Amino acid sequence: MSMPRGGRLFLATCLGSLVVLVLYFQSVGKPEPSVGTGSRPEKSRRSPLQTLYSGDQLQLSADQKTLHGRRELLEQACLSHTKKRRVLSPEDLKHLIVDDKHSLIYCYVPKVACTNWKRVLMVLTSGGRYTQPLAIPANEAHVAGKLRTLSEFSVPEINRRLRSYLKFVFVREPFERLVSAYRNKFTRSYNTAFHKRYGTKIVRRHRTNPDPEALEKGSDVSFHEFVQYLVDPRTQREEPFNEHWERVHSLCHPCLIHYDVVGKYETLEPDAHAVLSLAGVEGTVQFPTSGKSTRTDGHMAARFFKHISPFYQKRLFNLYRMDFLLFNYSTPEYLRT
């Protein structure tokens, strides 16, 4: 039977002050009991992690076998494509949302149904204040402080949760996610903050003879200019990528944090149901179904990439290569690299 792996955190200190957290994993026979202070899951019920790993592998459902296969593929890809042990800081744990009541840790990835996952977790952790995910406004779901992140806890408490909680992440075909981010942040008139913050910089750096209005507003960035901005070495030297186009492996560190469930946007409904079933809350809350009629898919991504030269296509693919490899996505057929 496949066993879960837990994480252990060690502190590196300098003159008594916290410098970094180093995370590594070891095999364990079963999830360790919770220790330390803070909220604890109910003792009378089986935890999601115990539910996931205690079943007979021969009796797994088709969906469970798919999830099990993804975990194995991710582990093999990590062994094959990562050479150095990554050093994690508390900042690296800010995308990991914690639900103590149901023993869950969710790494949110923008443009992969993260608004609805945050809504679901708000329902689960609110003590009855919220009952219906879609009744929660999207902007409220993203307000800081509405949900707790792993970075807020002490090192012993981080350690305990990583060992004993069900950890899950949802991923998406990298270029479809990227096109979705571009469409949402640069082609919607209401996203003036993104236009000012990023659009003006992109226009100034990657447009020949920009007019004064474009320099001031940054509201008409083309996809080609966006790609140029991403592959420009100066971009990441100056500041980290925005979370909406940052690579999943940089947001969630899947080769260091052992995710028990890797869900996919392409199979969102059954994968979300599997997580809620493991948490024992499928009768309490349902994951919202998407009503979008213009969802970014492979055909739409191909139309955007049609006007990107092979030179820039190759550089962009190299930038997102690890996400393709780790999560078993094929190179898009429309690429001319």
Side-chain angles (χ1 to χ4, degrees), residues 181-247:
Y182 167 77
R183 291 178 63 218
N184 179 251
K185 300 306 176 186
F186 293 105
T187 70
R188 305 288 190 265
S189 60
Y190 55 78
N191 266 325
T192 54
F194 264 82
H195 301 162
K196 277 282 189 180
R197 174 73 175 80
Y198 297 101
T200 54
K201 179 186 292 187
I202 293 171
V203 168
R204 185 169 61 252
R205 182 169 289 175
H206 299 291
R207 185 176 301 179
T208 304
N209 299 321
D211 60 57
E213 183 178 6
L215 285 170
E216 179 186 356
K217 295 183 177 179
S219 58
D220 63 344
V221 171
S222 70
F223 185 65
H224 184 268
E225 290 169 335
F226 179 53
V227 170
Q228 287 180 298
Y229 164 78
L230 293 174
V231 302
D232 187 336
R234 294 173 293 180
T235 299
Q236 290 190 81
R237 283 203 301 264
E238 293 173 355
E239 61 181 343
F241 275 169
N242 180 276
E243 64 178 12
H244 290 84
W245 48 84
E246 180 60 280
R247 286 70 53 93

Side-chain angles (χ1 to χ4, degrees), residues 24-84:
Y24 83 99
F25 294 98
Q26 62 181 157
S27 297
V28 295
K30 61 181 179 180
E32 296 184 25
S34 299
V35 296
T37 60
S39 301
R40 291 180 173 85
E42 300 170 19
K43 293 182 180 179
S44 60
R45 67 177 178 84
R46 176 183 284 181
S47 76
L49 199 62
Q50 290 170 328
T51 301
L52 178 66
Y53 289 101
S54 64
D56 185 339
Q57 297 297 304
L58 296 177
Q59 296 178 359
L60 293 177
S61 69
D63 289 342
Q64 289 172 321
K65 287 180 179 178
T66 297
L67 296 177
H68 178 77
R70 285 183 195 153
R71 289 198 311 272
E72 301 243 323
L73 284 171
L74 174 58
E75 187 168 322
Q76 289 301 316
C78 286
L79 290 172
S80 299
H81 301 292
T82 58
K83 304 300 181 186
K84 294 181 180 180

Side-chain angles (χ1 to χ4, degrees), residues 118-156:
K118 288 181 178 181
R119 285 166 162 159
V120 166
L121 289 167
M122 286 172 71
V123 170
L124 293 177
T125 60
S126 69
R129 180 183 174 191
Y130 303 106
T131 58
Q132 296 296 327
L134 290 181
I136 303 171
N139 62 331
E140 186 174 345
H142 297 294
V143 172
K146 288 288 184 181
L147 294 162
R148 297 199 72 181
T149 65
L150 198 59
S151 60
E152 298 173 36
F153 295 93
S154 68
V155 172

Side-chain angles (χ1 to χ4, degrees), residues 94-122:
K94 286 190 173 181
H95 271 250
L96 277 72
I97 295 172
V98 176
D99 174 2
D100 279 325
K101 183 177 181 181
H102 302 94
S103 304
L104 300 173
I105 293 176
Y106 161 59
C107 186
Y108 77 88
V109 179
K111 309 312 300 177
V112 192
C114 78
T115 300
N116 280 340
W117 268 118
K118 288 181 178 181
R119 285 166 162 159
V120 166
L121 289 167
M122 286 172 71

